[in-house]
mmCIF file with all atom_site columns, all heavy atoms in Angstrom:
data_model
loop_
_atom_site.group_PDB
_atom_site.id
_atom_site.type_symbol
_atom_site.label_atom_id
_atom_site.label_alt_id
_atom_site.label_comp_id
_atom_site.label_asym_id
_atom_site.label_entity_id
_atom_site.label_seq_id
_atom_site.pdbx_PDB_ins_code
_atom_site.Cartn_x
_atom_site.Cartn_y
_atom_site.Cartn_z
_atom_site.occupancy
_atom_site.B_iso_or_equiv
_atom_site.pdbx_formal_charge
_atom_site.auth_seq_id
_atom_site.auth_comp_id
_atom_site.auth_asym_id
_atom_site.auth_atom_id
_atom_site.pdbx_PDB_model_num
ATOM 1   N N   . VAL N 1 1  ? -21.683 47.551 28.262 1.00 98.00 ? 122 VAL N N   1
ATOM 2   C CA  . VAL N 1 1  ? -22.327 46.263 28.383 1.00 98.00 ? 122 VAL N CA  1
ATOM 3   C C   . VAL N 1 1  ? -23.661 46.393 29.067 1.00 98.00 ? 122 VAL N C   1
ATOM 4   O O   . VAL N 1 1  ? -24.702 45.817 28.571 1.00 98.00 ? 122 VAL N O   1
ATOM 5   C CB  . VAL N 1 1  ? -21.422 45.274 29.167 1.00 98.00 ? 122 VAL N CB  1
ATOM 6   C CG1 . VAL N 1 1  ? -22.207 43.993 29.504 1.00 98.00 ? 122 VAL N CG1 1
ATOM 7   C CG2 . VAL N 1 1  ? -20.198 44.899 28.349 1.00 98.00 ? 122 VAL N CG2 1
ATOM 8   N N   . LEU N 1 2  ? -23.747 47.156 30.115 1.00 98.00 ? 123 LEU N N   1
ATOM 9   C CA  . LEU N 1 2  ? -25.003 47.390 30.809 1.00 98.00 ? 123 LEU N CA  1
ATOM 10  C C   . LEU N 1 2  ? -26.015 48.062 29.916 1.00 98.00 ? 123 LEU N C   1
ATOM 11  O O   . LEU N 1 2  ? -27.166 47.628 29.782 1.00 98.00 ? 123 LEU N O   1
ATOM 12  C CB  . LEU N 1 2  ? -24.789 48.199 32.107 1.00 98.00 ? 123 LEU N CB  1
ATOM 13  C CG  . LEU N 1 2  ? -26.097 48.526 32.879 1.00 98.00 ? 123 LEU N CG  1
ATOM 14  C CD1 . LEU N 1 2  ? -26.801 47.279 33.350 1.00 98.00 ? 123 LEU N CD1 1
ATOM 15  C CD2 . LEU N 1 2  ? -25.773 49.445 34.063 1.00 98.00 ? 123 LEU N CD2 1
ATOM 16  N N   . GLY N 1 3  ? -25.575 49.127 29.271 1.00 98.00 ? 124 GLY N N   1
ATOM 17  C CA  . GLY N 1 3  ? -26.472 49.853 28.362 1.00 98.00 ? 124 GLY N CA  1
ATOM 18  C C   . GLY N 1 3  ? -26.967 49.020 27.230 1.00 98.00 ? 124 GLY N C   1
ATOM 19  O O   . GLY N 1 3  ? -28.173 49.026 26.866 1.00 98.00 ? 124 GLY N O   1
ATOM 20  N N   . GLY N 1 4  ? -26.087 48.199 26.649 1.00 98.00 ? 125 GLY N N   1
ATOM 21  C CA  . GLY N 1 4  ? -26.469 47.346 25.557 1.00 98.00 ? 125 GLY N CA  1
ATOM 22  C C   . GLY N 1 4  ? -27.462 46.266 25.967 1.00 98.00 ? 125 GLY N C   1
ATOM 23  O O   . GLY N 1 4  ? -28.448 46.031 25.273 1.00 98.00 ? 125 GLY N O   1
ATOM 24  N N   . VAL N 1 5  ? -27.228 45.644 27.110 1.00 98.00 ? 126 VAL N N   1
ATOM 25  C CA  . VAL N 1 5  ? -28.124 44.599 27.588 1.00 98.00 ? 126 VAL N CA  1
ATOM 26  C C   . VAL N 1 5  ? -29.500 45.166 27.874 1.00 98.00 ? 126 VAL N C   1
ATOM 27  O O   . VAL N 1 5  ? -30.524 44.563 27.521 1.00 98.00 ? 126 VAL N O   1
ATOM 28  C CB  . VAL N 1 5  ? -27.522 43.902 28.824 1.00 98.00 ? 126 VAL N CB  1
ATOM 29  C CG1 . VAL N 1 5  ? -28.605 43.008 29.507 1.00 98.00 ? 126 VAL N CG1 1
ATOM 30  C CG2 . VAL N 1 5  ? -26.310 43.068 28.456 1.00 98.00 ? 126 VAL N CG2 1
ATOM 31  N N   . LEU N 1 6  ? -29.526 46.310 28.513 1.00 98.00 ? 127 LEU N N   1
ATOM 32  C CA  . LEU N 1 6  ? -30.854 46.919 28.813 1.00 98.00 ? 127 LEU N CA  1
ATOM 33  C C   . LEU N 1 6  ? -31.635 47.258 27.574 1.00 98.00 ? 127 LEU N C   1
ATOM 34  O O   . LEU N 1 6  ? -32.835 47.047 27.488 1.00 98.00 ? 127 LEU N O   1
ATOM 35  C CB  . LEU N 1 6  ? -30.645 48.195 29.663 1.00 98.00 ? 127 LEU N CB  1
ATOM 36  C CG  . LEU N 1 6  ? -30.179 48.005 31.099 1.00 98.00 ? 127 LEU N CG  1
ATOM 37  C CD1 . LEU N 1 6  ? -29.948 49.359 31.750 1.00 98.00 ? 127 LEU N CD1 1
ATOM 38  C CD2 . LEU N 1 6  ? -31.207 47.220 31.915 1.00 98.00 ? 127 LEU N CD2 1
ATOM 39  N N   . ALA N 1 7  ? -30.953 47.741 26.554 1.00 98.00 ? 128 ALA N N   1
ATOM 40  C CA  . ALA N 1 7  ? -31.603 48.084 25.281 1.00 98.00 ? 128 ALA N CA  1
ATOM 41  C C   . ALA N 1 7  ? -32.165 46.827 24.606 1.00 98.00 ? 128 ALA N C   1
ATOM 42  O O   . ALA N 1 7  ? -33.306 46.826 24.132 1.00 98.00 ? 128 ALA N O   1
ATOM 43  C CB  . ALA N 1 7  ? -30.627 48.782 24.345 1.00 98.00 ? 128 ALA N CB  1
ATOM 44  N N   . ALA N 1 8  ? -31.352 45.731 24.577 1.00 97.00 ? 129 ALA N N   1
ATOM 45  C CA  . ALA N 1 8  ? -31.804 44.530 23.936 1.00 97.00 ? 129 ALA N CA  1
ATOM 46  C C   . ALA N 1 8  ? -32.961 43.902 24.660 1.00 97.00 ? 129 ALA N C   1
ATOM 47  O O   . ALA N 1 8  ? -33.940 43.404 24.049 1.00 97.00 ? 129 ALA N O   1
ATOM 48  C CB  . ALA N 1 8  ? -30.649 43.546 23.850 1.00 97.00 ? 129 ALA N CB  1
ATOM 49  N N   . VAL N 1 9  ? -32.928 43.921 26.018 1.00 97.00 ? 130 VAL N N   1
ATOM 50  C CA  . VAL N 1 9  ? -34.026 43.363 26.792 1.00 97.00 ? 130 VAL N CA  1
ATOM 51  C C   . VAL N 1 9  ? -35.313 44.188 26.590 1.00 97.00 ? 130 VAL N C   1
ATOM 52  O O   . VAL N 1 9  ? -36.391 43.659 26.422 1.00 97.00 ? 130 VAL N O   1
ATOM 53  C CB  . VAL N 1 9  ? -33.638 43.312 28.296 1.00 97.00 ? 130 VAL N CB  1
ATOM 54  C CG1 . VAL N 1 9  ? -34.863 42.982 29.176 1.00 97.00 ? 130 VAL N CG1 1
ATOM 55  C CG2 . VAL N 1 9  ? -32.530 42.301 28.524 1.00 97.00 ? 130 VAL N CG2 1
ATOM 56  N N   . LEU N 1 10 ? -35.151 45.498 26.586 1.00 96.00 ? 131 LEU N N   1
ATOM 57  C CA  . LEU N 1 10 ? -36.304 46.372 26.385 1.00 96.00 ? 131 LEU N CA  1
ATOM 58  C C   . LEU N 1 10 ? -36.981 46.091 25.055 1.00 96.00 ? 131 LEU N C   1
ATOM 59  O O   . LEU N 1 10 ? -38.187 45.965 24.965 1.00 96.00 ? 131 LEU N O   1
ATOM 60  C CB  . LEU N 1 10 ? -35.880 47.844 26.438 1.00 96.00 ? 131 LEU N CB  1
ATOM 61  C CG  . LEU N 1 10 ? -36.960 48.891 26.081 1.00 96.00 ? 131 LEU N CG  1
ATOM 62  C CD1 . LEU N 1 10 ? -38.036 48.901 27.188 1.00 96.00 ? 131 LEU N CD1 1
ATOM 63  C CD2 . LEU N 1 10 ? -36.321 50.253 25.900 1.00 96.00 ? 131 LEU N CD2 1
ATOM 64  N N   . TYR N 1 11 ? -36.159 45.966 24.004 1.00 95.00 ? 132 TYR N N   1
ATOM 65  C CA  . TYR N 1 11 ? -36.738 45.735 22.683 1.00 95.00 ? 132 TYR N CA  1
ATOM 66  C C   . TYR N 1 11 ? -37.400 44.329 22.614 1.00 95.00 ? 132 TYR N C   1
ATOM 67  O O   . TYR N 1 11 ? -38.490 44.188 22.068 1.00 95.00 ? 132 TYR N O   1
ATOM 68  C CB  . TYR N 1 11 ? -35.674 45.850 21.600 1.00 95.00 ? 132 TYR N CB  1
ATOM 69  C CG  . TYR N 1 11 ? -36.272 45.812 20.203 1.00 95.00 ? 132 TYR N CG  1
ATOM 70  C CD1 . TYR N 1 11 ? -36.846 46.959 19.680 1.00 95.00 ? 132 TYR N CD1 1
ATOM 71  C CD2 . TYR N 1 11 ? -36.280 44.636 19.473 1.00 95.00 ? 132 TYR N CD2 1
ATOM 72  C CE1 . TYR N 1 11 ? -37.434 46.942 18.391 1.00 95.00 ? 132 TYR N CE1 1
ATOM 73  C CE2 . TYR N 1 11 ? -36.850 44.602 18.209 1.00 95.00 ? 132 TYR N CE2 1
ATOM 74  C CZ  . TYR N 1 11 ? -37.439 45.759 17.694 1.00 95.00 ? 132 TYR N CZ  1
ATOM 75  O OH  . TYR N 1 11 ? -38.016 45.727 16.412 1.00 95.00 ? 132 TYR N OH  1
ATOM 76  N N   . ALA N 1 12 ? -36.702 43.342 23.148 1.00 93.00 ? 133 ALA N N   1
ATOM 77  C CA  . ALA N 1 12 ? -37.229 41.962 23.102 1.00 93.00 ? 133 ALA N CA  1
ATOM 78  C C   . ALA N 1 12 ? -38.503 41.818 23.892 1.00 93.00 ? 133 ALA N C   1
ATOM 79  O O   . ALA N 1 12 ? -39.430 41.096 23.446 1.00 93.00 ? 133 ALA N O   1
ATOM 80  C CB  . ALA N 1 12 ? -36.156 40.995 23.627 1.00 93.00 ? 133 ALA N CB  1
ATOM 81  N N   . ARG N 1 13 ? -38.570 42.472 25.007 1.00 93.00 ? 134 ARG N N   1
ATOM 82  C CA  . ARG N 1 13 ? -39.781 42.315 25.883 1.00 93.00 ? 134 ARG N CA  1
ATOM 83  C C   . ARG N 1 13 ? -40.942 43.198 25.555 1.00 93.00 ? 134 ARG N C   1
ATOM 84  O O   . ARG N 1 13 ? -42.112 42.799 25.689 1.00 93.00 ? 134 ARG N O   1
ATOM 85  C CB  . ARG N 1 13 ? -39.386 42.572 27.345 1.00 93.00 ? 134 ARG N CB  1
ATOM 86  C CG  . ARG N 1 13 ? -38.331 41.611 27.889 1.00 93.00 ? 134 ARG N CG  1
ATOM 87  C CD  . ARG N 1 13 ? -38.937 40.271 28.278 1.00 93.00 ? 134 ARG N CD  1
ATOM 88  N NE  . ARG N 1 13 ? -37.943 39.370 28.807 1.00 93.00 ? 134 ARG N NE  1
ATOM 89  C CZ  . ARG N 1 13 ? -37.605 39.332 30.090 1.00 93.00 ? 134 ARG N CZ  1
ATOM 90  N NH1 . ARG N 1 13 ? -38.100 40.179 30.958 1.00 93.00 ? 134 ARG N NH1 1
ATOM 91  N NH2 . ARG N 1 13 ? -36.652 38.461 30.506 1.00 93.00 ? 134 ARG N NH2 1
ATOM 92  N N   . PHE N 1 14 ? -40.645 44.442 25.082 1.00 91.00 ? 135 PHE N N   1
ATOM 93  C CA  . PHE N 1 14 ? -41.720 45.410 24.960 1.00 91.00 ? 135 PHE N CA  1
ATOM 94  C C   . PHE N 1 14 ? -41.893 46.049 23.572 1.00 91.00 ? 135 PHE N C   1
ATOM 95  O O   . PHE N 1 14 ? -43.008 46.493 23.226 1.00 91.00 ? 135 PHE N O   1
ATOM 96  C CB  . PHE N 1 14 ? -41.538 46.516 25.991 1.00 91.00 ? 135 PHE N CB  1
ATOM 97  C CG  . PHE N 1 14 ? -41.474 46.044 27.419 1.00 91.00 ? 135 PHE N CG  1
ATOM 98  C CD1 . PHE N 1 14 ? -40.264 46.027 28.078 1.00 91.00 ? 135 PHE N CD1 1
ATOM 99  C CD2 . PHE N 1 14 ? -42.625 45.606 28.071 1.00 91.00 ? 135 PHE N CD2 1
ATOM 100 C CE1 . PHE N 1 14 ? -40.194 45.565 29.393 1.00 91.00 ? 135 PHE N CE1 1
ATOM 101 C CE2 . PHE N 1 14 ? -42.546 45.160 29.371 1.00 91.00 ? 135 PHE N CE2 1
ATOM 102 C CZ  . PHE N 1 14 ? -41.351 45.139 30.025 1.00 91.00 ? 135 PHE N CZ  1
ATOM 103 N N   . LEU N 1 15 ? -40.833 46.142 22.800 1.00 88.00 ? 136 LEU N N   1
ATOM 104 C CA  . LEU N 1 15 ? -40.884 46.923 21.567 1.00 88.00 ? 136 LEU N CA  1
ATOM 105 C C   . LEU N 1 15 ? -40.826 46.069 20.315 1.00 88.00 ? 136 LEU N C   1
ATOM 106 O O   . LEU N 1 15 ? -41.041 46.603 19.203 1.00 88.00 ? 136 LEU N O   1
ATOM 107 C CB  . LEU N 1 15 ? -39.759 47.954 21.512 1.00 88.00 ? 136 LEU N CB  1
ATOM 108 C CG  . LEU N 1 15 ? -39.712 48.944 22.703 1.00 88.00 ? 136 LEU N CG  1
ATOM 109 C CD1 . LEU N 1 15 ? -38.498 49.877 22.570 1.00 88.00 ? 136 LEU N CD1 1
ATOM 110 C CD2 . LEU N 1 15 ? -40.982 49.755 22.782 1.00 88.00 ? 136 LEU N CD2 1
ATOM 111 N N   . GLY N 1 16 ? -40.491 44.809 20.432 1.00 83.00 ? 137 GLY N N   1
ATOM 112 C CA  . GLY N 1 16 ? -40.345 43.946 19.273 1.00 83.00 ? 137 GLY N CA  1
ATOM 113 C C   . GLY N 1 16 ? -41.679 43.710 18.578 1.00 83.00 ? 137 GLY N C   1
ATOM 114 O O   . GLY N 1 16 ? -42.748 44.159 19.008 1.00 83.00 ? 137 GLY N O   1
ATOM 115 N N   . GLN N 1 17 ? -41.609 42.972 17.471 1.00 66.00 ? 138 GLN N N   1
ATOM 116 C CA  . GLN N 1 17 ? -42.772 42.729 16.688 1.00 66.00 ? 138 GLN N CA  1
ATOM 117 C C   . GLN N 1 17 ? -43.879 42.019 17.495 1.00 66.00 ? 138 GLN N C   1
ATOM 118 O O   . GLN N 1 17 ? -43.663 40.960 18.058 1.00 66.00 ? 138 GLN N O   1
ATOM 119 C CB  . GLN N 1 17 ? -42.446 41.861 15.456 1.00 66.00 ? 138 GLN N CB  1
ATOM 120 C CG  . GLN N 1 17 ? -43.569 41.699 14.489 1.00 66.00 ? 138 GLN N CG  1
ATOM 121 C CD  . GLN N 1 17 ? -43.106 41.190 13.157 1.00 66.00 ? 138 GLN N CD  1
ATOM 122 O OE1 . GLN N 1 17 ? -41.898 41.066 12.918 1.00 66.00 ? 138 GLN N OE1 1
ATOM 123 N NE2 . GLN N 1 17 ? -44.018 40.944 12.260 1.00 66.00 ? 138 GLN N NE2 1
ATOM 124 N N   . GLY N 1 18 ? -44.995 42.689 17.614 1.00 58.00 ? 139 GLY N N   1
ATOM 125 C CA  . GLY N 1 18 ? -46.134 42.141 18.360 1.00 58.00 ? 139 GLY N CA  1
ATOM 126 C C   . GLY N 1 18 ? -47.229 41.660 17.431 1.00 58.00 ? 139 GLY N C   1
ATOM 127 O O   . GLY N 1 18 ? -47.066 41.518 16.225 1.00 58.00 ? 139 GLY N O   1
ATOM 128 N N   . GLN N 1 19 ? -48.390 41.463 17.982 1.00 53.00 ? 140 GLN N N   1
ATOM 129 C CA  . GLN N 1 19 ? -49.516 40.923 17.213 1.00 53.00 ? 140 GLN N CA  1
ATOM 130 C C   . GLN N 1 19 ? -50.647 41.902 17.253 1.00 53.00 ? 140 GLN N C   1
ATOM 131 O O   . GLN N 1 19 ? -50.918 42.545 18.282 1.00 53.00 ? 140 GLN N O   1
ATOM 132 C CB  . GLN N 1 19 ? -49.945 39.577 17.805 1.00 53.00 ? 140 GLN N CB  1
ATOM 133 C CG  . GLN N 1 19 ? -50.963 38.829 16.941 1.00 53.00 ? 140 GLN N CG  1
ATOM 134 C CD  . GLN N 1 19 ? -51.263 37.449 17.482 1.00 53.00 ? 140 GLN N CD  1
ATOM 135 O OE1 . GLN N 1 19 ? -51.179 37.234 18.682 1.00 53.00 ? 140 GLN N OE1 1
ATOM 136 N NE2 . GLN N 1 19 ? -51.626 36.530 16.639 1.00 53.00 ? 140 GLN N NE2 1
ATOM 137 N N   . ASP N 1 20 ? -51.264 42.130 16.097 1.00 53.00 ? 141 ASP N N   1
ATOM 138 C CA  . ASP N 1 20 ? -52.406 43.049 16.064 1.00 53.00 ? 141 ASP N CA  1
ATOM 139 C C   . ASP N 1 20 ? -53.500 42.582 17.034 1.00 53.00 ? 141 ASP N C   1
ATOM 140 O O   . ASP N 1 20 ? -53.777 41.382 17.137 1.00 53.00 ? 141 ASP N O   1
ATOM 141 C CB  . ASP N 1 20 ? -52.982 43.052 14.617 1.00 53.00 ? 141 ASP N CB  1
ATOM 142 C CG  . ASP N 1 20 ? -54.144 44.044 14.503 1.00 53.00 ? 141 ASP N CG  1
ATOM 143 O OD1 . ASP N 1 20 ? -53.889 45.211 14.199 1.00 53.00 ? 141 ASP N OD1 1
ATOM 144 O OD2 . ASP N 1 20 ? -55.285 43.567 14.700 1.00 53.00 ? 141 ASP N OD2 1
ATOM 145 N N   . PRO N 1 21 ? -54.124 43.485 17.821 1.00 53.00 ? 142 PRO N N   1
ATOM 146 C CA  . PRO N 1 21 ? -55.123 43.062 18.795 1.00 53.00 ? 142 PRO N CA  1
ATOM 147 C C   . PRO N 1 21 ? -56.232 42.224 18.219 1.00 53.00 ? 142 PRO N C   1
ATOM 148 O O   . PRO N 1 21 ? -56.681 41.262 18.839 1.00 53.00 ? 142 PRO N O   1
ATOM 149 C CB  . PRO N 1 21 ? -55.644 44.426 19.323 1.00 53.00 ? 142 PRO N CB  1
ATOM 150 C CG  . PRO N 1 21 ? -54.513 45.350 19.130 1.00 53.00 ? 142 PRO N CG  1
ATOM 151 C CD  . PRO N 1 21 ? -53.834 44.921 17.865 1.00 53.00 ? 142 PRO N CD  1
ATOM 152 N N   . ALA N 1 22 ? -56.689 42.592 17.001 1.00 55.00 ? 143 ALA N N   1
ATOM 153 C CA  . ALA N 1 22 ? -57.750 41.789 16.371 1.00 55.00 ? 143 ALA N CA  1
ATOM 154 C C   . ALA N 1 22 ? -57.294 40.395 16.067 1.00 55.00 ? 143 ALA N C   1
ATOM 155 O O   . ALA N 1 22 ? -58.004 39.420 16.249 1.00 55.00 ? 143 ALA N O   1
ATOM 156 C CB  . ALA N 1 22 ? -58.246 42.508 15.112 1.00 55.00 ? 143 ALA N CB  1
ATOM 157 N N   . GLN N 1 23 ? -56.011 40.278 15.593 1.00 54.00 ? 144 GLN N N   1
ATOM 158 C CA  . GLN N 1 23 ? -55.455 38.980 15.271 1.00 54.00 ? 144 GLN N CA  1
ATOM 159 C C   . GLN N 1 23 ? -55.310 38.143 16.545 1.00 54.00 ? 144 GLN N C   1
ATOM 160 O O   . GLN N 1 23 ? -55.537 36.933 16.572 1.00 54.00 ? 144 GLN N O   1
ATOM 161 C CB  . GLN N 1 23 ? -54.127 39.108 14.578 1.00 54.00 ? 144 GLN N CB  1
ATOM 162 C CG  . GLN N 1 23 ? -54.238 39.727 13.178 1.00 54.00 ? 144 GLN N CG  1
ATOM 163 C CD  . GLN N 1 23 ? -52.846 39.872 12.547 1.00 54.00 ? 144 GLN N CD  1
ATOM 164 O OE1 . GLN N 1 23 ? -51.831 39.940 13.216 1.00 54.00 ? 144 GLN N OE1 1
ATOM 165 N NE2 . GLN N 1 23 ? -52.812 39.938 11.222 1.00 54.00 ? 144 GLN N NE2 1
ATOM 166 N N   . ALA N 1 24 ? -54.882 38.824 17.612 1.00 50.00 ? 145 ALA N N   1
ATOM 167 C CA  . ALA N 1 24 ? -54.712 38.102 18.866 1.00 50.00 ? 145 ALA N CA  1
ATOM 168 C C   . ALA N 1 24 ? -56.039 37.588 19.405 1.00 50.00 ? 145 ALA N C   1
ATOM 169 O O   . ALA N 1 24 ? -56.131 36.459 19.907 1.00 50.00 ? 145 ALA N O   1
ATOM 170 C CB  . ALA N 1 24 ? -54.075 39.046 19.902 1.00 50.00 ? 145 ALA N CB  1
ATOM 171 N N   . GLU N 1 25 ? -57.106 38.418 19.229 1.00 58.00 ? 146 GLU N N   1
ATOM 172 C CA  . GLU N 1 25 ? -58.421 37.959 19.673 1.00 58.00 ? 146 GLU N CA  1
ATOM 173 C C   . GLU N 1 25 ? -58.930 36.788 18.843 1.00 58.00 ? 146 GLU N C   1
ATOM 174 O O   . GLU N 1 25 ? -59.488 35.827 19.399 1.00 58.00 ? 146 GLU N O   1
ATOM 175 C CB  . GLU N 1 25 ? -59.404 39.147 19.533 1.00 58.00 ? 146 GLU N CB  1
ATOM 176 C CG  . GLU N 1 25 ? -60.787 38.820 20.107 1.00 58.00 ? 146 GLU N CG  1
ATOM 177 C CD  . GLU N 1 25 ? -61.723 40.027 20.074 1.00 58.00 ? 146 GLU N CD  1
ATOM 178 O OE1 . GLU N 1 25 ? -61.202 41.160 19.821 1.00 58.00 ? 146 GLU N OE1 1
ATOM 179 O OE2 . GLU N 1 25 ? -62.921 39.850 20.219 1.00 58.00 ? 146 GLU N OE2 1
ATOM 180 N N   . ASN N 1 26 ? -58.691 36.847 17.545 1.00 60.00 ? 147 ASN N N   1
ATOM 181 C CA  . ASN N 1 26 ? -59.135 35.751 16.678 1.00 60.00 ? 147 ASN N CA  1
ATOM 182 C C   . ASN N 1 26 ? -58.368 34.472 16.981 1.00 60.00 ? 147 ASN N C   1
ATOM 183 O O   . ASN N 1 26 ? -58.919 33.365 16.964 1.00 60.00 ? 147 ASN N O   1
ATOM 184 C CB  . ASN N 1 26 ? -58.909 36.114 15.213 1.00 60.00 ? 147 ASN N CB  1
ATOM 185 C CG  . ASN N 1 26 ? -59.849 37.211 14.743 1.00 60.00 ? 147 ASN N CG  1
ATOM 186 O OD1 . ASN N 1 26 ? -60.929 37.375 15.290 1.00 60.00 ? 147 ASN N OD1 1
ATOM 187 N ND2 . ASN N 1 26 ? -59.445 37.947 13.710 1.00 60.00 ? 147 ASN N ND2 1
ATOM 188 N N   . ALA N 1 27 ? -57.089 34.641 17.282 1.00 52.00 ? 148 ALA N N   1
ATOM 189 C CA  . ALA N 1 27 ? -56.252 33.471 17.616 1.00 52.00 ? 148 ALA N CA  1
ATOM 190 C C   . ALA N 1 27 ? -56.753 32.835 18.901 1.00 52.00 ? 148 ALA N C   1
ATOM 191 O O   . ALA N 1 27 ? -56.802 31.607 19.042 1.00 52.00 ? 148 ALA N O   1
ATOM 192 C CB  . ALA N 1 27 ? -54.804 33.871 17.730 1.00 52.00 ? 148 ALA N CB  1
ATOM 193 N N   . ALA N 1 28 ? -57.130 33.672 19.885 1.00 53.00 ? 149 ALA N N   1
ATOM 194 C CA  . ALA N 1 28 ? -57.597 33.160 21.149 1.00 53.00 ? 149 ALA N CA  1
ATOM 195 C C   . ALA N 1 28 ? -58.948 32.428 20.948 1.00 53.00 ? 149 ALA N C   1
ATOM 196 O O   . ALA N 1 28 ? -59.196 31.377 21.553 1.00 53.00 ? 149 ALA N O   1
ATOM 197 C CB  . ALA N 1 28 ? -57.779 34.304 22.148 1.00 53.00 ? 149 ALA N CB  1
ATOM 198 N N   . GLU N 1 29 ? -59.819 32.972 20.098 1.00 60.00 ? 150 GLU N N   1
ATOM 199 C CA  . GLU N 1 29 ? -61.106 32.334 19.844 1.00 60.00 ? 150 GLU N CA  1
ATOM 200 C C   . GLU N 1 29 ? -60.928 31.000 19.121 1.00 60.00 ? 150 GLU N C   1
ATOM 201 O O   . GLU N 1 29 ? -61.585 30.026 19.381 1.00 60.00 ? 150 GLU N O   1
ATOM 202 C CB  . GLU N 1 29 ? -61.995 33.254 18.999 1.00 60.00 ? 150 GLU N CB  1
ATOM 203 C CG  . GLU N 1 29 ? -62.452 34.491 19.776 1.00 60.00 ? 150 GLU N CG  1
ATOM 204 C CD  . GLU N 1 29 ? -63.246 35.423 18.891 1.00 60.00 ? 150 GLU N CD  1
ATOM 205 O OE1 . GLU N 1 29 ? -63.292 35.171 17.662 1.00 60.00 ? 150 GLU N OE1 1
ATOM 206 O OE2 . GLU N 1 29 ? -63.791 36.423 19.414 1.00 60.00 ? 150 GLU N OE2 1
ATOM 207 N N   . THR N 1 30 ? -59.968 30.974 18.180 1.00 57.00 ? 151 THR N N   1
ATOM 208 C CA  . THR N 1 30 ? -59.666 29.763 17.470 1.00 57.00 ? 151 THR N CA  1
ATOM 209 C C   . THR N 1 30 ? -59.135 28.658 18.385 1.00 57.00 ? 151 THR N C   1
ATOM 210 O O   . THR N 1 30 ? -59.521 27.487 18.304 1.00 57.00 ? 151 THR N O   1
ATOM 211 C CB  . THR N 1 30 ? -58.664 30.006 16.338 1.00 57.00 ? 151 THR N CB  1
ATOM 212 O OG1 . THR N 1 30 ? -59.168 30.976 15.450 1.00 57.00 ? 151 THR N OG1 1
ATOM 213 C CG2 . THR N 1 30 ? -58.368 28.724 15.567 1.00 57.00 ? 151 THR N CG2 1
ATOM 214 N N   . ALA N 1 31 ? -58.248 29.080 19.292 1.00 53.00 ? 152 ALA N N   1
ATOM 215 C CA  . ALA N 1 31 ? -57.675 28.111 20.238 1.00 53.00 ? 152 ALA N CA  1
ATOM 216 C C   . ALA N 1 31 ? -58.749 27.595 21.195 1.00 53.00 ? 152 ALA N C   1
ATOM 217 O O   . ALA N 1 31 ? -58.709 26.414 21.609 1.00 53.00 ? 152 ALA N O   1
ATOM 218 C CB  . ALA N 1 31 ? -56.552 28.792 21.080 1.00 53.00 ? 152 ALA N CB  1
#
């Protein structure tokens, strides 16, 4: 249970689908 929770949290917080830096910058400028 501990190992599974740590893995899921790691993926959700740091390894999951992110945003391309250029897209993030464009989104920030649009906002």
